Structure formats: structure tokens, C-alpha cells
Amino acid sequence: MGNVKKVYRTPDGYTADIAVFTITSTKTNEKAPPSMHLKIMLIKRAMKNREGEPNIEAGKWALPGGFVMPNETAGAAAARELKEETGVSGFLLKHFGVYDQPGRDPRGWIITNAFFAIVQEEFLYERKADDDAAEVELFTLEELSGLELAFDHDSIIHEAIAVLKQEMSRSTIAKQFLPKEFTLSELQRVLLAVGPDPKISADSLFFSKAPRLPFLERITDENGMPKKTKRNSFRPSQLYRFNQEAVKDSIYY
């Protein structure tokens, strides 16, 4: 074991990067459903680092992240960096890939673990930039094409989006974007904000099947009557919530 370091070179660094997703809503009419857009949070790398030296990939947009410390896992580092660089914590954080392509980082042989996080819109209102970040902004997927991204974050972001779309159709991860009590219309619009799907956008199909899904349950009041809301329509709409029922692939189809 004592000769391992002499035979094998170790990486120059080990990092964690996080794709932070949210869905923003814009209301144009008091009783019309708001328009929803999937967005990703990026940081703009400052021109100088914490030590006052020129920053690597300065001025480019990047995923929040940083180096894993010797006493922590990549997952712990991702949670710490997310809190330090954006001011948010306590939300879904899921690993989806390892990136170790030679030359991916100008600082040397750097291996990164990639995670995605889902944070509801209201928790990002107070987002802030850390010392290494000049700005923190939300971008739609369409806006990404016009950005100059650092390192190999373009590849990481596109894989994160693909993984998120799969998760939305195969699990109840949609609940991370929704309040605890929601209408079927709100669920439908959240699903479509992540990606178009004719089986979900067709109202006749979605609204006939969704009430029968085993992981959704109608909410009733203290008298056992259906609990409804008029927040996005003139007519009261039934409220639902997710339960603990196990799910299968393609759960909304």
C-alpha cells in the first residue's frame, strides 16, 4: 500500500457542481392560470477569487459548486456549496453523474460529481452571490444558448435537464415544484413546464386519468367535504396532495 502514491497519480482536485432548477410563474390575469417556465440558476464567476487573484474562467456563467473538503462527501460538499453560493438549503439534492474528461478544467485533473436540486420559486427570491460569484441569476432553457459557460458546464446542464425530464415522468418528483396542496391543473402545468408531452397536454386524457392515479389523493375538510380553491379559476377546483404510494415507470400516462 505504501507504493500506491508512487505508482498512481492522484487527481488535482475533487469538486461538486449543482444544477438548481425552479419553475417561475407569471400571472397576467387574476383568474387565469399563470404561465410557467422551467429555469436554472447560474452564477457569474467573479473576476478575482477570495484571495484577490485572477479567477479561473472569470466572467463566465457556471453552475454553483466547489471543491470537496477532506472531511466530507461530495453530497455534503454540494449541500454546503449550494448554501454558501446561493443562500438556499434543505431542498431535494440528487446525484446524477461524474465528469472526468481530460482537459475539462484548466486548473488540472479535476473530477466533479454533478447533482441537481429543485427549489421552489419563492425560496430563490433572496438568493445571493458568494465571494467567488459576481451575480446569481435564473435563466430559461432557451436563454442558455446565448451564454458563455465555464468549464464543461454546458454538457452537465444538458444532461441534468434530460435526467430531470425522465424523473418527472417516472416518479413523483413534480411535488418538489408544487405546494403541498395543489389542483390537477397546477400539476399539469408543472409537468409541461419541464417538457412538452402530448399525453399530458391533452386535457381529456390527463384530467380523466389523473384523479385515479394511486399516488394522488383528494383533500377533504374537517366535515369530509371536498376541499377546493378558486386561486386560478372562477370555478372552485378540487385540491390534491401526493401520498406515499409506490409508483411505476411512466406514471402519468
Side-chain angles (χ1 to χ4, degrees):
M1 294 294 292
N3 294 326
V4 171
K5 291 185 178 179
K6 295 180 180 180
V7 177
Y8 299 104
R9 181 191 162 200
T10 57
D12 299 314
Y14 181 45
T15 60
D17 291 304
I18 314 104
V20 182
F21 292 106
T22 193
I23 290 180
T24 62
S25 57
T26 304
K27 203 157 179 66
T28 56
N29 183 293
E30 183 179 353
K31 289 302 180 181
S35 57
M36 293 187 171
H37 303 278
L38 178 67
K39 293 188 177 182
I40 187 169
M41 186 177 69
L42 299 177
I43 64 170
K44 192 171 188 178
R45 294 179 64 81
M47 300 310 293
K48 293 184 178 181
N49 60 22
R50 297 175 184 177
E51 290 72 36
E53 299 174 349
N55 208 7
I56 300 296
E57 302 281 64
K60 294 183 180 180
W61 290 96
L63 295 167
F67 285 93
V68 180
M69 304 302 290
N71 62 341
E72 63 184 355
T73 64
R80 173 178 56 77
E81 289 289 345
L82 183 63
K83 173 64 175 178
E84 290 178 359
E85 297 200 18
T86 67
V88 299
S89 61
F91 298 93
L92 175 72
L93 188 65
K94 190 169 183 178
H95 181 267
F96 69 88
V98 175
Y99 292 80
D100 57 2
Q101 182 71 21
R104 62 169 299 274
D105 193 313
R107 293 170 293 191
W109 182 17
I110 309 293
I111 297 174
T112 195
N113 274 266
F115 298 79
F116 75 81
I118 295 176
V119 181
Q120 290 185 19
E121 176 185 11
E122 60 266 30
F123 294 101
L124 292 179
Y125 287 150
E126 301 300 322
R127 61 188 184 274
K128 60 183 180 64
D130 190 38
D131 292 341
D132 284 341
E135 302 174 43
V136 181
E137 295 292 344
L138 296 175
F139 296 94
T140 65
L141 304 190
E142 292 75 20
E143 291 169 335
L144 291 176
S145 61
L147 299 180
E148 186 178 11
L149 298 173
F151 309 112
D152 56 352
H153 288 189
D154 181 66
S155 297
I156 297 176
I157 289 171
H158 280 86
E159 184 167 343
I161 294 168
V163 171
L164 178 63
K165 289 180 178 179
Q166 287 184 337
E167 289 283 338
M168 289 289 278
S169 66
R170 296 178 180 177
S171 74
T172 57
I173 201 172
K175 65 186 175 184
Q176 303 294 332
F177 289 112
L178 290 160
K180 290 184 178 180
E181 299 180 357
F182 54 88
T183 67
L184 293 182
S185 176
E186 289 168 339
L187 172 60
Q188 181 193 39
R189 284 182 286 111
V190 160
L191 293 170
L192 292 175
V194 174
D197 190 313
K199 294 182 179 178
I200 293 175
S201 60
D203 289 349
S204 59
L205 292 176
F206 183 79
F207 288 101
S208 63
K209 179 174 182 179
R212 303 194 301 271
L213 293 171
F215 51 86
L216 292 181
E217 59 183 42
R218 290 180 173 87
I219 299 176
T220 56
D221 61 21
E222 61 274 10
N223 298 315
M225 300 298 293
K227 188 176 180 181
K228 299 184 178 183
T229 180
K230 295 176 68 176
R231 62 181 172 229
N232 289 321
S233 63
F234 290 103
R235 294 182 179 180
S237 299
Q238 173 69 52
L239 286 168
Y240 288 79
R241 64 184 164 215
F242 286 94
N243 58 30
Q244 300 302 314
E245 185 76 21
V247 299
K248 300 179 180 180
D249 286 352
S250 303
I251 57 178
Y252 295 101
Y253 295 167

mmCIF file of all heavy atoms in Angstrom, residues 96-131:
data_model
loop_
_atom_site.group_PDB
_atom_site.id
_atom_site.type_symbol
_atom_site.label_atom_id
_atom_site.label_comp_id
_atom_site.label_asym_id
_atom_site.label_seq_id
_atom_site.Cartn_x
_atom_site.Cartn_y
_atom_site.Cartn_z
ATOM 1 N N PHE A 96 -26.381 12.759 -10.200
ATOM 2 C CA PHE A 96 -26.739 12.165 -11.485
ATOM 3 C C PHE A 96 -25.549 11.864 -12.389
ATOM 4 O O PHE A 96 -25.717 11.241 -13.448
ATOM 5 C CB PHE A 96 -27.747 13.041 -12.244
ATOM 6 C CG PHE A 96 -27.189 14.350 -12.737
ATOM 7 C CD1 PHE A 96 -26.565 14.442 -13.977
ATOM 8 C CD2 PHE A 96 -27.300 15.501 -11.972
ATOM 9 C CE1 PHE A 96 -26.067 15.651 -14.442
ATOM 10 C CE2 PHE A 96 -26.804 16.711 -12.421
ATOM 11 C CZ PHE A 96 -26.182 16.786 -13.666
ATOM 12 N N GLY A 97 -24.326 12.280 -12.039
ATOM 13 C CA GLY A 97 -23.230 11.974 -12.946
ATOM 14 C C GLY A 97 -21.862 12.348 -12.414
ATOM 15 O O GLY A 97 -21.735 13.149 -11.481
ATOM 16 N N VAL A 98 -20.825 11.729 -13.003
ATOM 17 C CA VAL A 98 -19.435 12.049 -12.703
ATOM 18 C C VAL A 98 -18.777 12.503 -13.996
ATOM 19 O O VAL A 98 -18.936 11.863 -15.042
ATOM 20 C CB VAL A 98 -18.682 10.829 -12.139
ATOM 21 C CG1 VAL A 98 -17.200 11.144 -11.955
ATOM 22 C CG2 VAL A 98 -19.298 10.383 -10.817
ATOM 23 N N TYR A 99 -18.025 13.609 -13.934
ATOM 24 C CA TYR A 99 -17.387 14.158 -15.123
ATOM 25 C C TYR A 99 -15.875 14.202 -14.896
ATOM 26 O O TYR A 99 -15.398 14.870 -13.971
ATOM 27 C CB TYR A 99 -17.946 15.551 -15.434
ATOM 28 C CG TYR A 99 -19.391 15.479 -15.862
ATOM 29 C CD1 TYR A 99 -20.410 15.356 -14.912
ATOM 30 C CD2 TYR A 99 -19.735 15.496 -17.204
ATOM 31 C CE1 TYR A 99 -21.737 15.251 -15.305
ATOM 32 C CE2 TYR A 99 -21.056 15.395 -17.605
ATOM 33 C CZ TYR A 99 -22.048 15.271 -16.655
ATOM 34 O OH TYR A 99 -23.364 15.155 -17.032
ATOM 35 N N ASP A 100 -15.161 13.463 -15.742
ATOM 36 C CA ASP A 100 -13.710 13.342 -15.564
ATOM 37 C C ASP A 100 -12.956 13.403 -16.886
ATOM 38 O O ASP A 100 -11.835 12.907 -17.003
ATOM 39 C CB ASP A 100 -13.373 12.037 -14.833
ATOM 40 C CG ASP A 100 -13.921 10.798 -15.548
ATOM 41 O OD1 ASP A 100 -14.531 10.947 -16.632
ATOM 42 O OD2 ASP A 100 -13.734 9.689 -15.030
ATOM 43 N N GLN A 101 -13.571 14.007 -17.896
ATOM 44 C CA GLN A 101 -12.926 14.120 -19.199
ATOM 45 C C GLN A 101 -11.609 14.889 -19.078
ATOM 46 O O GLN A 101 -11.567 15.983 -18.513
ATOM 47 C CB GLN A 101 -13.848 14.846 -20.183
ATOM 48 C CG GLN A 101 -13.313 14.985 -21.591
ATOM 49 C CD GLN A 101 -13.278 13.670 -22.341
ATOM 50 O OE1 GLN A 101 -13.992 12.726 -21.991
ATOM 51 N NE2 GLN A 101 -12.445 13.575 -23.361
ATOM 52 N N PRO A 102 -10.505 14.333 -19.575
ATOM 53 C CA PRO A 102 -9.228 15.060 -19.518
ATOM 54 C C PRO A 102 -9.345 16.442 -20.169
ATOM 55 O O PRO A 102 -9.935 16.591 -21.237
ATOM 56 C CB PRO A 102 -8.279 14.153 -20.309
ATOM 57 C CG PRO A 102 -8.863 12.785 -20.178
ATOM 58 C CD PRO A 102 -10.351 12.994 -20.173
ATOM 59 N N GLY A 103 -8.808 17.452 -19.504
ATOM 60 C CA GLY A 103 -8.833 18.805 -20.031
ATOM 61 C C GLY A 103 -10.101 19.577 -19.739
ATOM 62 O O GLY A 103 -10.253 20.710 -20.213
ATOM 63 N N ARG A 104 -11.022 19.004 -18.963
ATOM 64 C CA ARG A 104 -12.293 19.679 -18.695
ATOM 65 C C ARG A 104 -12.135 20.919 -17.819
ATOM 66 O O ARG A 104 -13.007 21.779 -17.773
ATOM 67 C CB ARG A 104 -13.294 18.724 -18.048
ATOM 68 C CG ARG A 104 -12.871 18.163 -16.676
ATOM 69 C CD ARG A 104 -14.011 17.431 -15.971
ATOM 70 N NE ARG A 104 -15.112 18.322 -15.719
ATOM 71 C CZ ARG A 104 -15.190 19.109 -14.634
ATOM 72 N NH1 ARG A 104 -14.207 19.125 -13.748
ATOM 73 N NH2 ARG A 104 -16.233 19.888 -14.475
ATOM 74 N N ASP A 105 -11.008 21.009 -17.107
ATOM 75 C CA ASP A 105 -10.777 22.130 -16.196
ATOM 76 C C ASP A 105 -9.346 22.626 -16.393
ATOM 77 O O ASP A 105 -8.404 21.839 -16.295
ATOM 78 C CB ASP A 105 -10.990 21.668 -14.755
ATOM 79 C CG ASP A 105 -11.071 22.814 -13.760
ATOM 80 O OD1 ASP A 105 -10.210 23.719 -13.833
ATOM 81 O OD2 ASP A 105 -11.970 22.807 -12.910
ATOM 82 N N PRO A 106 -9.161 23.907 -16.687
ATOM 83 C CA PRO A 106 -7.812 24.430 -16.928
ATOM 84 C C PRO A 106 -6.904 24.384 -15.702
ATOM 85 O O PRO A 106 -5.696 24.566 -15.815
ATOM 86 C CB PRO A 106 -8.063 25.876 -17.384
ATOM 87 C CG PRO A 106 -9.407 26.215 -16.854
ATOM 88 C CD PRO A 106 -10.198 24.944 -16.874
ATOM 89 N N ARG A 107 -7.463 24.135 -14.526
ATOM 90 C CA ARG A 107 -6.643 24.087 -13.317
ATOM 91 C C ARG A 107 -5.896 22.765 -13.168
ATOM 92 O O ARG A 107 -5.023 22.639 -12.317
ATOM 93 C CB ARG A 107 -7.521 24.323 -12.080
ATOM 94 C CG ARG A 107 -8.090 25.723 -11.996
ATOM 95 C CD ARG A 107 -9.143 25.859 -10.917
ATOM 96 N NE ARG A 107 -10.340 25.078 -11.241
ATOM 97 C CZ ARG A 107 -11.495 25.177 -10.581
ATOM 98 N NH1 ARG A 107 -11.599 26.030 -9.557
ATOM 99 N NH2 ARG A 107 -12.543 24.455 -10.934
ATOM 100 N N GLY A 108 -6.257 21.767 -13.992
ATOM 101 C CA GLY A 108 -5.589 20.478 -13.885
ATOM 102 C C GLY A 108 -6.580 19.332 -13.981
ATOM 103 O O GLY A 108 -7.656 19.455 -14.559
ATOM 104 N N TRP A 109 -6.182 18.186 -13.397
ATOM 105 C CA TRP A 109 -7.014 16.983 -13.447
ATOM 106 C C TRP A 109 -8.050 17.086 -12.323
ATOM 107 O O TRP A 109 -7.800 16.699 -11.183
ATOM 108 C CB TRP A 109 -6.131 15.748 -13.273
ATOM 109 C CG TRP A 109 -6.882 14.451 -13.348
ATOM 110 C CD1 TRP A 109 -8.116 14.229 -13.849
ATOM 111 C CD2 TRP A 109 -6.410 13.181 -12.887
ATOM 112 N NE1 TRP A 109 -8.460 12.906 -13.748
ATOM 113 C CE2 TRP A 109 -7.428 12.246 -13.153
ATOM 114 C CE3 TRP A 109 -5.222 12.757 -12.289
ATOM 115 C CZ2 TRP A 109 -7.292 10.884 -12.830
ATOM 116 C CZ3 TRP A 109 -5.092 11.414 -11.964
ATOM 117 C CH2 TRP A 109 -6.112 10.494 -12.230
ATOM 118 N N ILE A 110 -9.212 17.627 -12.675
ATOM 119 C CA ILE A 110 -10.283 17.866 -11.705
ATOM 120 C C ILE A 110 -11.470 16.964 -12.054
ATOM 121 O O ILE A 110 -11.980 17.009 -13.169
ATOM 122 C CB ILE A 110 -10.740 19.339 -11.709
ATOM 123 C CG1 ILE A 110 -9.538 20.279 -11.568
ATOM 124 C CG2 ILE A 110 -11.761 19.566 -10.605
ATOM 125 C CD1 ILE A 110 -8.834 20.223 -10.253
ATOM 126 N N ILE A 111 -11.894 16.168 -11.097
ATOM 127 C CA ILE A 111 -13.064 15.301 -11.262
ATOM 128 C C ILE A 111 -14.226 15.919 -10.504
ATOM 129 O O ILE A 111 -14.072 16.342 -9.355
ATOM 130 C CB ILE A 111 -12.779 13.893 -10.723
ATOM 131 C CG1 ILE A 111 -11.646 13.236 -11.525
ATOM 132 C CG2 ILE A 111 -14.040 13.025 -10.778
ATOM 133 C CD1 ILE A 111 -11.196 11.904 -10.971
ATOM 134 N N THR A 112 -15.401 15.981 -11.136
ATOM 135 C CA THR A 112 -16.554 16.557 -10.450
ATOM 136 C C THR A 112 -17.717 15.586 -10.400
ATOM 137 O O THR A 112 -17.933 14.791 -11.318
ATOM 138 C CB THR A 112 -17.010 17.874 -11.118
ATOM 139 O OG1 THR A 112 -17.883 18.572 -10.217
ATOM 140 C CG2 THR A 112 -17.741 17.634 -12.429
ATOM 141 N N ASN A 113 -18.454 15.636 -9.300
ATOM 142 C CA ASN A 113 -19.729 14.947 -9.154
ATOM 143 C C ASN A 113 -20.827 15.962 -9.416
ATOM 144 O O ASN A 113 -20.804 17.072 -8.852
ATOM 145 C CB ASN A 113 -19.879 14.392 -7.739
ATOM 146 C CG ASN A 113 -19.249 13.024 -7.581
ATOM 147 O OD1 ASN A 113 -19.902 12.002 -7.717
ATOM 148 N ND2 ASN A 113 -17.951 13.002 -7.297
ATOM 149 N N ALA A 114 -21.777 15.607 -10.269
ATOM 150 C CA ALA A 114 -22.847 16.532 -10.630
ATOM 151 C C ALA A 114 -24.147 16.145 -9.923
ATOM 152 O O ALA A 114 -24.514 14.962 -9.870
ATOM 153 C CB ALA A 114 -23.059 16.539 -12.141
ATOM 154 N N PHE A 115 -24.824 17.145 -9.393
ATOM 155 C CA PHE A 115 -26.094 16.971 -8.694
ATOM 156 C C PHE A 115 -27.129 17.904 -9.308
ATOM 157 O O PHE A 115 -26.782 18.908 -9.927
ATOM 158 C CB PHE A 115 -25.943 17.332 -7.211
ATOM 159 C CG PHE A 115 -24.977 16.476 -6.451
ATOM 160 C CD1 PHE A 115 -23.605 16.712 -6.554
ATOM 161 C CD2 PHE A 115 -25.418 15.455 -5.630
ATOM 162 C CE1 PHE A 115 -22.700 15.928 -5.851
ATOM 163 C CE2 PHE A 115 -24.521 14.668 -4.928
ATOM 164 C CZ PHE A 115 -23.165 14.898 -5.040
ATOM 165 N N PHE A 116 -28.403 17.554 -9.133
ATOM 166 C CA PHE A 116 -29.427 18.550 -9.435
ATOM 167 C C PHE A 116 -30.260 18.774 -8.184
ATOM 168 O O PHE A 116 -30.425 17.879 -7.344
ATOM 169 C CB PHE A 116 -30.290 18.171 -10.651
ATOM 170 C CG PHE A 116 -31.306 17.096 -10.427
ATOM 171 C CD1 PHE A 116 -32.536 17.369 -9.831
ATOM 172 C CD2 PHE A 116 -31.060 15.790 -10.852
ATOM 173 C CE1 PHE A 116 -33.482 16.377 -9.643
ATOM 174 C CE2 PHE A 116 -31.998 14.787 -10.680
ATOM 175 C CZ PHE A 116 -33.217 15.081 -10.069
ATOM 176 N N ALA A 117 -30.739 19.995 -8.047
ATOM 177 C CA ALA A 117 -31.571 20.379 -6.912
ATOM 178 C C ALA A 117 -32.836 21.030 -7.439
ATOM 179 O O ALA A 117 -32.827 21.656 -8.498
ATOM 180 C CB ALA A 117 -30.819 21.345 -5.996
ATOM 181 N N ILE A 118 -33.936 20.850 -6.712
ATOM 182 C CA ILE A 118 -35.192 21.509 -7.054
ATOM 183 C C ILE A 118 -35.578 22.414 -5.895
ATOM 184 O O ILE A 118 -35.703 21.963 -4.751
ATOM 185 C CB ILE A 118 -36.309 20.484 -7.325
ATOM 186 C CG1 ILE A 118 -35.976 19.660 -8.571
ATOM 187 C CG2 ILE A 118 -37.651 21.186 -7.498
ATOM 188 C CD1 ILE A 118 -36.970 18.561 -8.862
ATOM 189 N N VAL A 119 -35.711 23.689 -6.190
ATOM 190 C CA VAL A 119 -36.032 24.687 -5.179
ATOM 191 C C VAL A 119 -37.249 25.470 -5.649
ATOM 192 O O VAL A 119 -37.268 25.971 -6.775
ATOM 193 C CB VAL A 119 -34.850 25.644 -4.946
ATOM 194 C CG1 VAL A 119 -35.195 26.661 -3.859
ATOM 195 C CG2 VAL A 119 -33.590 24.862 -4.564
ATOM 196 N N GLN A 120 -38.262 25.559 -4.818
ATOM 197 C CA GLN A 120 -39.453 26.313 -5.218
ATOM 198 C C GLN A 120 -39.125 27.791 -5.383
ATOM 199 O O GLN A 120 -38.279 28.340 -4.682
ATOM 200 C CB GLN A 120 -40.570 26.118 -4.196
ATOM 201 C CG GLN A 120 -41.150 24.704 -4.214
ATOM 202 C CD GLN A 120 -42.334 24.538 -3.283
ATOM 203 O OE1 GLN A 120 -42.964 25.514 -2.882
ATOM 204 N NE2 GLN A 120 -42.625 23.309 -2.928
ATOM 205 N N GLU A 121 -39.829 28.397 -6.300
ATOM 206 C CA GLU A 121 -39.557 29.769 -6.743
ATOM 207 C C GLU A 121 -39.396 30.767 -5.599
ATOM 208 O O GLU A 121 -38.444 31.553 -5.584
ATOM 209 C CB GLU A 121 -40.697 30.216 -7.660
ATOM 210 C CG GLU A 121 -40.627 31.634 -8.134
ATOM 211 C CD GLU A 121 -41.861 32.022 -8.939
ATOM 212 O OE1 GLU A 121 -42.845 31.250 -8.947
ATOM 213 O OE2 GLU A 121 -41.832 33.097 -9.548
ATOM 214 N N GLU A 122 -40.284 30.712 -4.608
ATOM 215 C CA GLU A 122 -40.261 31.734 -3.565
ATOM 216 C C GLU A 122 -38.996 31.693 -2.702
ATOM 217 O O GLU A 122 -38.608 32.698 -2.107
ATOM 218 C CB GLU A 122 -41.501 31.622 -2.661
ATOM 219 C CG GLU A 122 -41.644 30.290 -1.954
ATOM 220 C CD GLU A 122 -42.522 29.316 -2.709
ATOM 221 O OE1 GLU A 122 -42.560 29.392 -3.954
ATOM 222 O OE2 GLU A 122 -43.170 28.476 -2.057
ATOM 223 N N PHE A 123 -38.331 30.549 -2.657
ATOM 224 C CA PHE A 123 -37.130 30.434 -1.841
ATOM 225 C C PHE A 123 -35.886 30.992 -2.541
ATOM 226 O O PHE A 123 -34.819 31.063 -1.938
ATOM 227 C CB PHE A 123 -36.899 28.976 -1.450
ATOM 228 C CG PHE A 123 -37.960 28.429 -0.540
ATOM 229 C CD1 PHE A 123 -38.968 27.615 -1.037
ATOM 230 C CD2 PHE A 123 -37.961 28.741 0.806
ATOM 231 C CE1 PHE A 123 -39.953 27.119 -0.201
ATOM 232 C CE2 PHE A 123 -38.949 28.254 1.653
ATOM 233 C CZ PHE A 123 -39.951 27.441 1.151
ATOM 234 N N LEU A 124 -36.033 31.359 -3.802
ATOM 235 C CA LEU A 124 -34.901 31.926 -4.530
ATOM 236 C C LEU A 124 -34.970 33.447 -4.648
ATOM 237 O O LEU A 124 -34.094 34.065 -5.217
ATOM 238 C CB LEU A 124 -34.813 31.311 -5.936
ATOM 239 C CG LEU A 124 -34.436 29.830 -5.980
ATOM 240 C CD1 LEU A 124 -34.409 29.338 -7.421
ATOM 241 C CD2 LEU A 124 -33.091 29.581 -5.316
ATOM 242 N N TYR A 125 -36.014 34.034 -4.091
ATOM 243 C CA TYR A 125 -36.143 35.487 -4.173
ATOM 244 C C TYR A 125 -34.978 36.189 -3.475
ATOM 245 O O TYR A 125 -34.543 37.260 -3.898
ATOM 246 C CB TYR A 125 -37.462 35.943 -3.535
ATOM 247 C CG TYR A 125 -38.687 35.634 -4.351
ATOM 248 C CD1 TYR A 125 -39.910 35.392 -3.741
ATOM 249 C CD2 TYR A 125 -38.626 35.571 -5.741
ATOM 250 C CE1 TYR A 125 -41.049 35.106 -4.486
ATOM 251 C CE2 TYR A 125 -39.749 35.278 -6.496
ATOM 252 C CZ TYR A 125 -40.957 35.046 -5.858
ATOM 253 O OH TYR A 125 -42.081 34.752 -6.592
ATOM 254 N N GLU A 126 -34.499 35.592 -2.404
ATOM 255 C CA GLU A 126 -33.425 36.219 -1.626
ATOM 256 C C GLU A 126 -32.064 35.633 -1.961
ATOM 257 O O GLU A 126 -31.134 35.729 -1.168
ATOM 258 C CB GLU A 126 -33.714 36.050 -0.121
ATOM 259 C CG GLU A 126 -35.024 36.649 0.341
ATOM 260 C CD GLU A 126 -35.102 38.146 0.079
ATOM 261 O OE1 GLU A 126 -34.059 38.809 0.236
ATOM 262 O OE2 GLU A 126 -36.193 38.638 -0.265
ATOM 263 N N ARG A 127 -31.938 35.017 -3.119
ATOM 264 C CA ARG A 127 -30.656 34.417 -3.490
ATOM 265 C C ARG A 127 -29.561 35.485 -3.504
ATOM 266 O O ARG A 127 -29.807 36.640 -3.816
ATOM 267 C CB ARG A 127 -30.755 33.726 -4.855
ATOM 268 C CG ARG A 127 -31.108 34.648 -5.995
ATOM 269 C CD ARG A 127 -31.367 33.838 -7.255
ATOM 270 N NE ARG A 127 -31.620 34.687 -8.397
ATOM 271 C CZ ARG A 127 -32.813 35.173 -8.730
ATOM 272 N NH1 ARG A 127 -33.856 34.894 -7.992
ATOM 273 N NH2 ARG A 127 -32.953 35.928 -9.800
ATOM 274 N N LYS A 128 -28.353 35.054 -3.160
ATOM 275 C CA LYS A 128 -27.245 35.997 -3.083
ATOM 276 C C LYS A 128 -25.994 35.363 -3.664
ATOM 277 O O LYS A 128 -25.899 34.143 -3.783
ATOM 278 C CB LYS A 128 -26.984 36.408 -1.633
ATOM 279 C CG LYS A 128 -26.628 35.243 -0.711
ATOM 280 C CD LYS A 128 -26.456 35.717 0.716
ATOM 281 C CE LYS A 128 -26.090 34.551 1.642
ATOM 282 N NZ LYS A 128 -24.802 33.953 1.321
ATOM 283 N N ALA A 129 -25.048 36.190 -4.004
ATOM 284 C CA ALA A 129 -23.795 35.696 -4.573
ATOM 285 C C ALA A 129 -22.725 35.603 -3.497
ATOM 286 O O ALA A 129 -22.611 36.469 -2.635
ATOM 287 C CB ALA A 129 -23.323 36.628 -5.686
ATOM 288 N N ASP A 130 -21.943 34.534 -3.547
ATOM 289 C CA ASP A 130 -20.817 34.350 -2.641
ATOM 290 C C ASP A 130 -19.625 35.158 -3.165
ATOM 291 O O ASP A 130 -19.693 35.797 -4.217
ATOM 292 C CB ASP A 130 -20.478 32.859 -2.553
ATOM 293 C CG ASP A 130 -19.484 32.555 -1.442
ATOM 294 O OD1 ASP A 130 -19.589 33.181 -0.382
ATOM 295 O OD2 ASP A 130 -18.609 31.697 -1.656
ATOM 296 N N ASP A 131 -18.487 35.097 -2.447
ATOM 297 C CA ASP A 131 -17.310 35.874 -2.829
ATOM 298 C C ASP A 131 -16.805 35.540 -4.229
ATOM 299 O O ASP A 131 -16.263 36.403 -4.920
ATOM 300 C CB ASP A 131 -16.180 35.646 -1.813
ATOM 301 C CG ASP A 131 -16.515 36.237 -0.455
ATOM 302 O OD1 ASP A 131 -17.397 37.103 -0.394
ATOM 303 O OD2 ASP A 131 -15.890 35.824 0.536
#
